[in-house]
Every structure is written in structure tokens, then in C-alpha cells.
Amino acid sequence: MNRKVYLLLLIVSFGVMLPFIAPYVTLDPGNSRVAIESETVQFPALIAHIGFGLLAMASGFVQLSAKVRRSRPDLHRRFGRVYVLSVAVSGLAALVVTFYVEDFGKAVSFLMLSALWLLTCWNGWRAAVRRRMEEHRVWMIRSFGMTLAVASARLLTPVLMLIDAALHGFTLPGGLEGMIGDVLNVNVWVGLLLNLVIVEWGILRRRGDGR
């Protein structure tokens, strides 16, 4: 990956996610951005999902660095273990959180994203264990695409709000709150689809170039 693209992706991803994560640093359910029905199950699962998700994103960016892969393979392996463990914990915690999502469409989008995240990471880890390094790299690229899906979803939210307003002739029949609710019910689907398309295009392009 081009260094400028890498840095831009890193800055945008953390820039989008850190403000969202900030309220949870206090570990106070009262500061949660989503309704908390259970402080003994839902909230701990949500904290685990967010915390280990952030760790997965950070370690994933280390893994994405070609310089680290070439010059520090030992570091690449260590961060790889951190990434796999983080995805496993965050992905499984996300499955628990899904049961507390009221909107069915939103719940299915979280369920699908969590399942794809766990599956792609599992396939990447299994390929590494079997020394199928090219297969490992492809699956881990897919996995990291899933890691960044929520960041993409949040980045696309203003665009989706504009599209929603345009489709309603900028009249906002449900008001601003209704429009935001509609957008938040589909933004994960759009982020997931966009990342899948970009990742698969990148993989096919790389294969076509013989890299």
C-alpha cells in the first residue's frame, strides 16, 4: 500500500472512531451512546467489544505495514497474535451486544459483520498455521476490511443523511431525529458493503499485477 494512502487511512480511521469511543473511557453506563438494558451483561460486552475492537484496529495497522513485514517479521508475528485475540474477543462480544439491538435490520447488520469478521480472521490465522502465507495475507486483508467497516459506516453517515434528505425532497417528514434514525439503521450495511467491494477489488488488482 502507498505510504500516503496508509497514513491517510490510519488518521481518518482513528479520527472517526476515537470521538465515538471517548464516552466509554469512564466505564460509566450513564455515558453510553446506546441504551443500556443490562449493566451486568450488555454493558461489559459493549466495553469489551469497543476496547478490543480498538486494539484490533491498532494492531491491524501495524500488520498492514509492509516495512514491518519485511524488516521485523518477529514483530509482525507478535502483533498478529494480538490482532487475532482482539478480533476474537471483540467479535464474540459483539454477538452478545446484538441481542440488545431493538431494530431488526440493524441487529442483522451487526450479526453479519461480526460473523464475517470472525470468519475472515479465523481463515487467516488457520492459513498462517498451515504455512500458506499468500492465502494468509489475502484473508487478513479481508479481515482488516471488516475491522474498518464500522469506521467506514460512521464516515458515510453524513453522506447517507444527505441522500436520505434528497430522496424526501429535503422536506424531512420524520424530522431530523427520524432521518438520523433511518440512516443509523443502514449505515453499517453500507460500510460493510463498501469495504467488501474495495477489499475484493484490491485483491483482484494485486493478483492481476502478479504481486
Side-chain angles (χ1 to χ4, degrees), residues 100-173:
Y100 293 91
V101 178
E102 292 184 1
D103 183 85
F104 178 71
K106 185 186 291 187
V108 173
S109 69
F110 280 119
L111 182 63
M112 182 64 69
L113 174 56
S114 301
L116 287 173
W117 197 23
L118 290 167
L119 178 64
T120 52
C121 187
W122 165 259
N123 284 339
W125 175 79
R126 187 174 60 175
V129 170
R130 296 177 176 179
R131 303 297 180 184
R132 299 175 180 174
M133 302 319 293
E134 180 57 29
E135 183 181 339
H136 161 72
R137 186 176 181 187
V138 168
W139 278 112
M140 282 308 186
I141 290 173
R142 288 174 175 143
S143 175
F144 195 57
M146 298 302 96
T147 301
L148 297 182
V150 173
S152 296
R154 298 200 170 278
L155 190 63
L156 288 167
T157 296
V159 178
L160 293 173
M161 290 175 66
L162 181 61
I163 294 173
D164 184 87
L167 291 174
H168 290 93
F170 296 97
T171 57
L172 304 182

Side-chain angles (χ1 to χ4, degrees), residues 39-94:
E39 294 186 8
T40 57
V41 178
Q42 180 193 11
F43 189 67
L46 181 61
I47 292 297
H49 169 61
I50 293 171
F52 280 95
L54 182 63
L55 186 57
M57 189 167 73
S59 57
F61 271 109
V62 175
Q63 295 301 90
L64 197 64
S65 170
K67 183 178 180 180
V68 171
R69 288 198 307 272
R70 287 193 301 264
S71 61
R72 293 295 304 277
D74 57 326
L75 194 63
H76 177 75
R77 286 191 294 271
R78 291 194 187 99
F79 273 92
R81 295 187 186 100
V82 172
Y83 178 79
V84 170
L85 177 62
S86 300
V87 171
V89 175
S90 185
L92 291 173

Side-chain angles (χ1 to χ4, degrees), residues 38 51 64 66 73 96 98 105 115 154 182:
S38 170
L64 197 64
V96 176
T98 299
R154 298 200 170 278
D182 290 340

